[in-house]
Structures are given as C-alpha cells and as structure tokens.
Amino acid sequence: QVQVVESGGGLVQAGGSLRLSCAASLRTFSVTTIGWYRQAPGKQRESVAIIGSGNTTNYAESALGRFTISRDNAKNTVYLQMNSLKAEDTAVYYCNGRAPLINAWGQGTQVTVSA
C-alpha cells in the first residue's frame, strides 16, 4: 500500500521560512512525479510546485522566487523550502505522488503565516 506523509508545517510570521517534507513509501519513488499542492479555506486546491523524475521542476507563479522543490531519492523524500512567506500562503499543504497506476495523496500539513 502506498503511503505519502507530509511534515514540517506550523505557524510562522510573515517573512519567515518553513521546510516541508514529503516521505513516500514507493518502490518506484525515483521515477515518480511528486507535487506539492495547497488548499486555503473556501478555495480550491491548487498546485504549488512539482518535481519530475529527472528533477525537472514547475512552480506556480505565486511560488516563483520564494519556494524551492527538491528531492532525495535515497530517502524517498521531497522537500519544499518556503521563504519570504506571506499571509496568503496560509493553507493545508498536500503532497501527491504520481507514477503509472499510482496517484497517492497525503493527509496534509497545516501552514499558517501570521501577518
């Protein structure tokens, strides 16, 4: 059974930083596309950053220049470094792992940025 577990959320002041981690129990982790998504209260879930198996990355416009996604295949973990956080970054952040026949979501981790 595939498991995806997020960690690293918390409360931070505006301008601060957080690093989220996504650990996935996937034997095919190295060829899995991992994405970070977020959902704020009353809003739809949106993509934040995605990293492919070849370390290609894609960022939402709101994340460009502030967030960095990276992966450590030896640890089956993807990271999201978030800097210069803003109040509008407050949301539940979810990790998603996709590979052939796999589409796994974690339970999410809360990020709250105080103004």
Side-chain angles (χ1 to χ4, degrees), residues 8-55:
L11 173 65
V12 64
Q13 287 187 331
S17 298
L18 281 175
R19 189 177 80 157
L20 305 183
S21 298
C22 169
S25 61
L26 293 163
R27 285 186 293 178
T28 58
F29 182 84
S30 64
V31 296
T32 300
T33 294
I34 303 291
W36 282 100
Y37 298 77
R38 69 187 182 186
Q39 187 166 18
K43 295 187 177 182
Q44 288 189 329
R45 191 173 297 187
E46 61 178 3
S47 174
V48 177
I50 298 172
I51 187 165
S53 58
N55 283 332

Side-chain angles (χ1 to χ4, degrees), residues 6 20 34-50 58-64 66-67 69 80 82 85-96 98 105 109 111:
E6 306 95 337
L20 305 183
I34 303 291
W36 282 100
Y37 298 77
R38 69 187 182 186
Q39 187 166 18
K43 295 187 177 182
Q44 288 189 329
R45 191 173 297 187
E46 61 178 3
S47 174
V48 177
I50 298 172
N58 185 274
Y59 294 92
E61 187 172 339
S62 60
L64 278 172
R66 299 189 300 129
F67 295 1
I69 190 170
L80 184 67
M82 304 188 296
L85 283 162
K86 306 174 182 179
E88 50 263 44
D89 294 318
T90 295
V92 178
Y93 283 70
Y94 298 91
C95 182
N96 171 259
R98 291 196 179 186
W105 289 92
T109 185
V111 171

Side-chain angles (χ1 to χ4, degrees), residues 2-5 22-27 29 34 75-78 97:
V2 176
Q3 278 193 315
V4 177
V5 180
C22 169
S25 61
L26 293 163
R27 285 186 293 178
F29 182 84
I34 303 291
K75 296 182 179 179
N76 275 27
T77 301
V78 166

